Amino acid sequence: TSFAIHYILITSNQVDQQWLLYWFRHYQSFMPLPLWSPDTITWLIRHLYTMLDYPLGLLWNFNTADSAPLRVIMKMSILPIALSLIGIYAFFKTDKRALALLTLPLILTLAASALERYPFFERLLVFLAPLIILLIAKGCDQTIKALPALRRRQLIIPALLMTGGFAASAAQVISPDTFGRYKKSYKKEALLHIDKNYQEGDLVYVYWNMNYGYRY
């Protein structure tokens, strides 16, 4: 219901905007067809993996490490991937209806992406984050139950999962210039610089897609 209201009132007005279609095609946000092609399988793996970073924030993203193996370890990608797969299996064995409810929105989003009606891209997938978190949580619960040694230390796995997000947040508080990582646009700094150096008679051109930031 939430998606339908949002789509009818807002998103549907944008689906035929050619510049948006061009932009999302450029960033490969639409799932390629046919489904059984190697390109589609590669696309699916890559995009599902990047969801662990954005919007879920479960990767450590310490890419500045000198050692390639260390960078892989620091990303901690294996833990959320393994737990989500365990969670899917656990739901399949015990509650297929719950699994269907959790995965149906993801399937519908991928279908809309294949039809180029909705891009499978970063912040546009925030609404899927709680569903994947539930799969990971189920996997965490099953892992703790299956390993008696973890029952007295139940917080170890959740703590490891959340360490990446806490570490990234702490790093951005310590170094505000890194806030937003690759998404930092420096719009505020640019506008303040123009405002400070503006002289009478100067003409300032505001790009149309910058209008919201400028007005703010």
Side-chain angles (χ1 to χ4, degrees), residues 95-169:
D95 194 343
K96 293 182 177 62
R97 182 172 179 271
L99 179 62
L101 288 171
L102 290 174
T103 55
L104 183 60
L106 175 61
I107 294 169
L108 291 174
T109 306
L110 288 170
S113 172
L115 297 172
E116 294 196 351
R117 305 307 288 177
Y118 194 86
F120 201 87
F121 188 77
E122 294 189 345
R123 66 178 181 271
L124 299 175
L125 304 177
V126 170
F127 72 98
L128 292 174
L131 308 180
I132 299 182
I133 288 171
L134 287 172
L135 293 175
I136 293 173
K138 182 69 170 178
C140 184
D141 182 57
Q142 289 297 117
T143 302
I144 291 170
K145 288 179 179 177
L147 300 175
L150 288 175
R151 290 179 185 174
R152 295 182 180 179
R153 302 175 180 85
Q154 295 186 18
L155 295 179
I156 290 177
I157 296 179
L160 287 173
L161 274 171
M162 293 186 290
T163 299
F166 283 127
S169 297

Side-chain angles (χ1 to χ4, degrees), residues 2-63:
S2 173
F3 175 80
I5 293 171
H6 187 278
Y7 188 85
I8 291 169
L9 295 180
I10 301 172
T11 312
S12 62
N13 298 324
Q14 305 294 327
V15 293
D16 293 321
Q17 294 284 349
Q18 290 303 310
W19 75 271
L20 273 178
L21 287 171
Y22 174 83
W23 196 89
F24 284 119
R25 283 173 186 150
H26 175 75
Y27 283 97
Q28 299 181 334
S29 304
F30 298 123
M31 186 171 71
L33 294 173
L35 295 176
W36 53 85
S37 71
D39 288 342
T40 302
I41 295 171
T42 302
W43 185 94
L44 271 172
I45 293 172
R46 183 173 72 250
H47 281 72
L48 291 174
Y49 174 79
T50 55
M51 282 185 70
L52 295 174
D53 182 26
Y54 192 162
L56 286 164
L58 293 176
L59 303 186
W60 284 30
N61 284 305
F62 295 155
N63 296 326

Side-chain angles (χ1 to χ4, degrees), residues 76-87:
M76 289 292 290
S77 58
I78 190 65
L79 188 57
I81 291 172
L83 291 176
S84 60
L85 292 175
I86 293 170

Side-chain angles (χ1 to χ4, degrees), residues 53-54 61 122 168-169 171-173 175-186:
D53 182 26
Y54 192 162
N61 284 305
E122 294 189 345
S169 297
Q172 292 175 5
V173 169
S175 303
D177 286 342
T178 65
F179 184 79
R181 296 181 11 241
Y182 66 95
K183 287 189 169 294
K184 187 170 176 62
S185 63
Y186 297 95

